Amino acid sequence: MKKSKLLIVSLLLLGSVANINAQTALTGQTKNYISTGMPILLIAPDAVSGALGDAGAASTPDAYSAHWNNAKLAFIDGKFGLSTTYTPWLRNLGVGDMNLLYLGGYYRINDRSTAAASLTYFSLGEIQSTDAEGMSKGTMNPNEFAFDASYAMQINEELSIGASGRFIRSDLTNGQNISDGSGYVTTKPAWSLAADFGLYWQHPLAEGQEIAVGAFFSNLGAKLSYSDDDTRKEFLPANLRIGGRYSYDINSANKINVLFDINKLLVPTPPISIGDSTYGKYYANMTEYYNTGVMQGALQSFYDAPGGMSEEFHELQLSGGAEYWYKNTLAARAGYFFESNTKGGRQYATVGFGLKYNIMQFDFAYLIPTTSFSSNPLANTVRISLSINFQPKKNG
């Protein structure tokens, strides 16, 4: 299993996990995956949205809002709170020491503004490193982490905005040499700074009903460089998330929430290579692709797919879910996530439940792959979240 983990690290470093261009007889379509560094920045850090098909742009504001849409923090119901989630990684393959940890907290400054901070830490466990002759070079402890701080403010009783700053560090090889296919390169930890911007609107309808809409730009920042050769820097997983929510308080004991999100990576689509020729409307080759600026790439991501608008629509990821609360104490959740086979093929159902007692809330989520086209590191894995929300004092 250690060899498998080393292969995973190598693929992450070389940007190969999501950048495989090939023809498939199964669909008759070209697979043109979009590669980014630090893909864990888009992984659901909580078991709430993790059970709702990873939908959360306009979900009910909670302790995890900084990840899904920081603007929601302005409407959070609490004075301050803490949250943490433990996510096992690749348990379906028998890996026991890879995991994703999340720790966050928020504090309501006044009636209209809230601040928050969080830490995301991804450990790939311990890996035995060897040279080209198979001789041991010791062990590696690859890891990645991101620390961010957020601020959200209400514009009026229904609208809010949010902003976040993030420090990112990715150390996949502990400075050791990795083969890139043509030789060995000396690697180094990569780091970057990024920003998020959110917009959130909630509006009451008839008695007991509410709708909400959210838009969230995340991970807008400088590329990652894993070696002194800066000709191949990896894009951060810059992303646009737009979503909506409908809530209905059926009566004093029963409530439902229905959510739907659309995601679009703000990363340029790579050219497609077939045989010895490379074609693409905006990229003559991969060198030009890697030289694309971050903002230029974000803008071009809406129209630069070699397959035209049809391929652009394939780059949209869809997620949705429903949540039922009984007496604001017990929650049942289910959802679904869909990604085109030509862009990675992640398609899975999610289920989960939550239990709230006083100021504490426990949430659980379980992911069920629905296609054999693409494996998922969270397949058949239980995620566990704990959040503590301290309510403000009356008239305080």
Side-chain angles (χ1 to χ4, degrees):
M1 187 56 64
K2 289 184 177 180
K3 290 184 178 179
S4 298
K5 288 169 65 178
L6 184 58
L7 175 61
I8 292 170
V9 173
S10 300
L11 289 175
L12 286 171
L13 183 66
L14 297 174
S16 303
V17 170
N19 188 15
I20 305 172
N21 302 325
Q23 291 287 339
T24 171
L26 179 63
T27 63
Q29 295 176 314
T30 299
K31 291 186 264 183
N32 191 19
Y33 304 168
I34 299 177
S35 170
T36 71
M38 288 284 287
I40 65 161
L41 293 175
L42 294 181
I43 299 296
D46 63 296
V48 179
S49 290
L52 294 170
D54 294 347
S59 58
T60 305
D62 60 16
Y64 303 98
S65 293
H67 175 85
W68 299 103
N69 184 351
N70 48 29
K72 295 191 300 177
L73 289 165
F75 287 98
I76 198 166
D77 183 20
K79 179 62 177 179
F80 65 94
L82 299 172
S83 59
T84 184
T85 300
Y86 173 74
T87 303
W89 205 260
L90 292 177
R91 290 299 192 269
N92 205 38
L93 298 181
V95 177
D97 60 351
M98 294 178 66
N99 53 73
L100 179 67
L101 298 173
Y102 177 88
L103 178 65
Y106 72 87
Y107 177 78
R108 176 169 288 283
I109 301 171
N110 53 46
D111 290 342
R112 288 190 172 272
S113 58
T114 303
S118 65
L119 174 68
T120 302
Y121 180 80
F122 179 48
S123 171
L124 282 83
E126 185 177 280
I127 299 176
Q128 184 69 41
S129 177
T130 59
D131 59 21
E133 285 72 37
M135 301 298 292
S136 175
K137 296 174 61 179
T139 59
M140 298 190 302
N141 297 99
N143 62 83
E144 298 179 319
F145 75 85
F147 175 80
D148 58 73
S150 305
Y151 175 79
M153 179 179 67
Q154 290 186 30
I155 302 301
N156 55 42
E157 295 303 315
E158 297 183 349
L159 180 67
S160 63
I161 57 175
S164 303
R166 178 172 296 110
F167 174 78
I168 297 163
R169 187 178 187 272
S170 175
D171 185 2
L172 296 176
T173 62
N174 297 164
Q176 299 193 29
N177 295 339
I178 294 292
S179 173
D180 64 356
S182 60
Y184 282 85
V185 296
T186 300
T187 63
K188 64 180 182 182
W191 67 275
S192 180
L193 298 175
D196 303 343
F197 302 97
L199 183 68
Y200 176 71
W201 176 76
Q202 61 181 31
H203 178 72
L205 297 176
E207 183 177 355
Q209 300 182 57
E210 181 182 73
I211 59 171
V213 177
F216 187 49
F217 293 87
S218 62
N219 304 314
L220 301 173
K223 297 180 185 179
L224 296 170
S225 176
Y226 289 94
S227 72
D228 292 332
D229 179 9
D230 288 338
T231 60
R232 185 168 181 173
K233 294 183 178 180
E234 297 292 335
F235 287 95
L236 288 176
N239 185 74
L240 169 61
R241 178 186 297 274
I242 299 175
R245 168 176 57 87
Y246 169 75
S247 296
Y248 180 34
D249 291 343
I250 303 172
N251 51 44
S252 60
N254 301 280
K255 177 180 179 179
I256 59 171
N257 295 308
V258 180
L259 301 93
F260 180 75
D261 278 12
I262 299 176
N263 279 276
K264 172 70 172 71
L265 275 175
L266 302 180
V267 178
T269 307
I272 300 175
S273 299
I274 300 178
D276 295 326
S277 63
T278 300
Y279 68 90
K281 188 173 182 180
Y282 297 99
Y283 307 107
N285 49 51
M286 288 304 294
T287 299
E288 184 177 348
Y289 175 81
Y290 284 115
N291 286 336
T292 304
V294 173
M295 294 309 297
Q296 177 188 355
L299 293 174
Q300 292 186 181
S301 68
F302 290 96
Y303 58 84
D304 66 354
M309 289 308 299
S310 175
E311 183 176 350
E312 292 291 349
F313 281 114
H314 286 172
E315 292 181 357
L316 299 178
Q317 301 166 0
L318 309 178
S319 55
E323 175 183 53
Y324 165 76
W325 277 99
Y326 177 70
K327 291 188 175 180
N328 202 35
T329 300
L330 181 64
R333 305 181 180 103
Y336 195 80
F337 180 94
F338 176 85
E339 179 181 60
S340 170
N341 289 344
T342 65
K343 295 297 176 178
R346 292 178 299 160
Q347 298 165 25
Y348 50 84
T350 60
V351 294
F353 68 93
L355 179 63
K356 185 183 296 185
Y357 178 74
N358 200 354
I359 63 173
M360 302 183 67
Q361 180 173 325
F362 296 89
D363 295 287
F364 302 85
Y366 190 76
L367 187 150
I368 309 168
T370 57
T371 176
S372 59
F373 178 84
S374 176
S375 61
N376 192 298
L378 302 179
N380 305 314
T381 298
V382 176
R383 280 178 280 181
I384 304 172
S385 292
L386 166 65
S387 58
I388 304 174
N389 296 282
F390 298 90
Q391 299 296 322
K393 295 180 181 180
K394 292 182 179 180
N395 302 320

